[in-house]
Amino acid sequence: MNAPEIAKKLEDIPPGSAITIDMKIDSYFDFIRATLDLFATRKDLDCIYVTSTIPSESILNALSVLEVDIDRVYFVDCISHSMMGKTSQSDHVIFVESATMLENIMLKVQYLMKKSKRENKVVIIDSVNTLAIHNNTKILSEFFHILLNNLRSKDAYIFILNMEGQGSEDLDSMMNLVADDKFRIPAGQEENGDGNGGGEEASE
Amino acid sequence: MDAARDRCVTGIENLDNILNGGIPRGNTVLVTGSCGTGKTTMSMEFLVHGALMGEPSLFLSVTEASDKLLKNVIPYDFFEDSLIKKGKLIFIDLPVVYELFGMTKGELDFEDIDLLVKAIADIVRDLGIKRLVIDSITSVCYQLRTEEKIRQFILKVGKSLSEYGCTSILVSEISPSSERYSLYGVEEAIADGIILMGNLQRRGDLLRTLQVVKMRGTNHSRAKYVLDLTPSGVLLVPLLKGGSI
């Protein structure tokens, strides 16, 4: 499934929904591109991107190569500090010292929500799997429960990335509990008949 | 109980929610914690919001000169320079008041206390002050020395401010390991409210926390919250427990 097809799938999602996006790593940038194109460019929303997977700088570089407009994208970067690397100052990036500081992630999202003048926002959480490396399922459930309810009440579109094959039964149960729905992005070979996903939207 | 008391809306949205609408007007609240926990910043925000709402607000600085203090304050998105120019937000260095009344000796006596309370009450009355911060009450207490004098000062100042409908915050400094909410133990017993600010260490992370321990005249949450000091002001979220018991 390519970026325009993903965007088409996401088009009808109502505001205030929290959707788990199950996908293979191959679809990573297609999903980001589709989401930013649909919500930031076409729907004119600010995007808050919480990354604990790869540093914001790497995502920004990749998006710039893909010629994706990043003016409305604001990052909460929970990985760069932990890598002890140099972090560049930007109005579009806020750093959280560690992915274990879940309250600080909530606070930074709250700050960006408050700062944004646009009515609706889209929030991408990348990803449940990398957050689970640093946190146990109990505290992660509590984090998602509070954060998602807060964002829902503000009518944000929420996408939580879940990399296929990198989760656990506990993690899947937790996401079923806290999210409203699940959307699976099939990998390329599955669409060609080699897999069994078929691009269907999975509901709970 | 809640409906009966008029509220002093702090303007810190999450704190007002915790307090069920704000601090009951006229209350004297002890904001206490160790260094770096955000006491001064939060107290300053309380005053700025008050000034923005048209309530004359006064910061009585004891430990730090006001101009230095202002330079170190977070540049709030909502701050307006005109608040100071229009006299809605006023800064006074308490050592200047001490000098004015000849209270230059190290320890204040009962007569000095009466003079100091009267001086503060006169400023509040004359300028129509509705919000006051004393930063810090601990430094004032150093000059009072005895529990009896501290008790008398806080009781008298609290009573005078309340009579003028002024809601006040007394900033109190305690050590990180303190089991009390104030250095002398007297301040906490007399105050109408206690907001405890702290640093919580969890798995090597240091989180700033806030907890409303007591607030007369309102129902309130007594849970611990994690706070962040941002250009949009103080933000709070619940402290995650992670299933711990």
Side-chain angles (χ1 to χ4, degrees), chain A residues 26-59:
Chain A
D26 311 357
S27 308
Y28 189 71
F29 280 106
D30 280 332
F31 170 77
I32 297 173
R33 193 176 188 173
T35 313
L36 295 184
D37 178 51
L38 174 64
F39 292 97
T41 310
R42 279 152 57 191
K43 292 196 178 193
D44 198 24
L45 308 183
D46 279 342
C47 172
I48 299 169
Y49 195 112
V50 180
T51 175
S52 58
T53 305
I54 49 175
S56 53
E57 201 173 345
S58 307
I59 300 176

Side-chain angles (χ1 to χ4, degrees), chain A:
Chain A
M1 196 180 251
N2 59 25
E5 286 168 334
I6 297 170
K8 202 159 184 287
K9 280 274 182 193
L10 301 177
E11 231 166 32
D12 297 329
I13 290 170
S17 305
I19 313 291
T20 308
I21 305 291
D22 286 350
M23 63 182 182
K24 291 261 197 287
I25 194 78
D26 311 357
S27 308
Y28 189 71
F29 280 106
D30 280 332
F31 170 77
I32 297 173
R33 193 176 188 173
T35 313
L36 295 184
D37 178 51
L38 174 64
F39 292 97
T41 310
R42 279 152 57 191
K43 292 196 178 193
D44 198 24
L45 308 183
D46 279 342
C47 172
I48 299 169
Y49 195 112
V50 180
T51 175
S52 58
T53 305
I54 49 175
S56 53
E57 201 173 345
S58 307
I59 300 176
L60 280 167
N61 289 340
L63 292 177
S64 137
V65 170
L66 294 168
E67 295 180 343
V68 175
D69 182 12
I70 49 162
D71 276 1
R72 291 180 198 137
V73 188
Y74 295 87
F75 285 92
V76 177
D77 183 331
C78 320
I79 186 71
S80 292
H81 263 294
S82 309
M83 290 165 54
M84 304 289 286
K86 225 162 71 176
T87 50
S88 49
Q89 296 296 312
S90 156
D91 285 348
H92 282 250
V93 184
I94 301 179
F95 295 98
V96 171
E97 284 167 65
S98 150
T100 52
M101 300 177 93
L102 296 172
E103 290 94 342
N104 280 10
I105 297 175
M106 289 197 275
L107 285 162
K108 299 305 179 195
V109 171
Q110 194 185 131
Y111 169 63
L112 290 172
M113 291 288 288
K114 210 169 174 179
K115 202 175 133 189
S116 166
K117 299 281 179 278
R118 290 170 215 278
E119 204 178 320
N120 283 0
K121 287 104 187 162
V122 57
V123 180
I124 301 171
I125 300 170
D126 176 11
S127 65
V128 64
N129 318 86
T130 47
L131 283 173
I133 294 172
H134 302 270
N135 301 281
N136 66 39
T137 316
K138 279 183 177 172
I139 201 163
L140 211 50
S141 312
E142 202 182 345
F143 163 73
F144 275 115
H145 189 223
I146 296 172
L147 178 67
L148 300 188
N149 273 318
N150 191 287
L151 293 172
R152 274 192 201 102
S153 72
K154 293 181 170 78
D155 269 347
Y157 297 88
I158 313 145
F159 298 108
I160 308 120
L161 308 194
N162 183 26
M163 297 302 158
E164 279 184 358
Q166 295 179 13
S168 64
E169 219 171 280
D170 273 359
L171 220 52
D172 285 344
S173 307
M174 177 192 80
M175 291 318 295
N176 285 341
L177 179 73
V178 296
D180 300 312
D181 212 341
K182 192 185 281 188
F183 174 55
R184 183 166 180 272
I185 300 174
Q189 68 269 29
E190 288 180 33
E191 288 175 298
N192 296 331
D194 298 336
N196 57 9
E200 289 303 309
E201 196 170 328
S203 13
E204 288 153 44

Side-chain angles (χ1 to χ4, degrees), chain B residues 26 28 109-122 124 132 134 137 144 147-164 166 168 170 186 190-192:
Chain B
T28 301
D109 56 29
F110 284 102
E111 205 176 304
D112 293 331
I113 291 172
D114 287 342
L115 266 175
L116 186 58
V117 170
K118 189 178 179 306
I120 294 171
D122 286 350
V124 167
L132 170 78
I134 300 179
I137 192 68
L144 300 174
E147 285 190 9
E148 199 187 347
K149 283 195 274 183
I150 294 169
R151 185 183 302 274
Q152 184 165 350
F153 173 74
I154 298 176
L155 273 175
K156 282 189 172 180
V157 86
K159 187 170 174 284
S160 306
L161 296 174
S162 188
E163 276 171 9
Y164 295 122
C166 179
S168 54
L170 310 178
V186 183
I190 299 170
D192 297 307

Side-chain angles (χ1 to χ4, degrees), chain B:
Chain B
M1 176 169 69
D2 278 12
R5 290 286 297 271
D6 181 23
R7 297 309 165 108
C8 176
V9 176
T10 67
I12 301 164
E13 192 186 334
N14 303 129
L15 182 61
D16 286 326
N17 292 340
I18 290 169
L19 292 170
N20 231 346
I23 300 170
R25 200 170 285 281
N27 267 10
T28 301
V29 179
L30 199 68
V31 171
T32 185
S34 56
C35 63
T37 50
K39 305 181 296 290
T40 301
T41 308
M42 192 183 77
S43 303
M44 183 75 80
E45 189 182 341
F46 163 74
L47 293 185
V48 174
H49 283 301
L52 285 167
M53 287 181 239
E55 296 182 3
S57 303
L58 171 65
F59 192 98
L60 275 179
S61 182
V62 187
T63 39
E64 206 172 359
S66 305
D67 48 353
K68 190 180 165 202
L69 185 88
L70 272 167
K71 276 183 201 155
N72 292 329
V73 162
I74 289 176
Y76 292 125
D77 296 337
F78 49 86
F79 185 80
E80 293 170 15
D81 287 334
S82 63
L83 295 174
I84 295 176
K85 286 177 196 147
K86 286 178 186 165
K88 287 284 178 203
L89 184 60
I90 302 158
F91 292 84
I92 294 177
D93 294 339
L94 204 60
V96 176
V97 178
Y98 289 154
E99 242 171 71
L100 207 66
F101 288 93
M103 301 173 198
T104 45
K105 49 189 187 293
E107 186 176 349
L108 303 181
D109 56 29
F110 284 102
E111 205 176 304
D112 293 331
I113 291 172
D114 287 342
L115 266 175
L116 186 58
V117 170
K118 189 178 179 306
I120 294 171
D122 286 350
I123 296 169
V124 167
R125 185 197 58 215
D126 295 348
L127 300 176
I129 300 294
K130 292 293 168 210
R131 296 183 187 214
L132 170 78
V133 169
I134 300 179
D135 187 5
S136 68
I137 192 68
T138 315
S139 301
V140 178
C141 290
Y142 276 131
Q143 288 179 284
L144 300 174
R145 309 249 172 109
T146 67
E147 285 190 9
E148 199 187 347
K149 283 195 274 183
I150 294 169
R151 185 183 302 274
Q152 184 165 350
F153 173 74
I154 298 176
L155 273 175
K156 282 189 172 180
V157 86
K159 187 170 174 284
S160 306
L161 296 174
S162 188
E163 276 171 9
Y164 295 122
C166 179
T167 308
S168 54
I169 285 181
L170 310 178
V171 176
S172 165
E173 295 155 10
I174 51 171
S175 75
S177 57
S178 177
E179 286 176 7
R180 294 194 305 201
Y181 300 120
S182 57
L183 193 61
Y184 296 91
V186 183
E187 308 93 298
E188 65 200 56
I190 299 170
D192 297 307
I194 298 172
I195 299 176
L196 174 65
M197 302 180 75
N199 284 316
L200 176 79
Q201 193 151 354
R202 189 180 63 197
R203 294 198 288 159
D205 297 330
L206 197 60
L207 302 167
R208 282 195 173 103
T209 62
L210 177 148
Q211 191 169 25
V212 178
V213 176
K214 145 180 158 180
M215 189 65 67
R216 287 182 185 133
T218 182
N219 291 320
H220 61 87
S221 158
R222 298 185 84 235
K224 198 171 264 189
Y225 295 82
V226 176
L227 86 144
D228 194 14
L229 310 171
T230 76
S232 297
V234 169
L235 299 177
L236 294 156
V237 292
L239 174 74
L240 301 177
K241 282 111 184 157
S244 58
I245 47 168

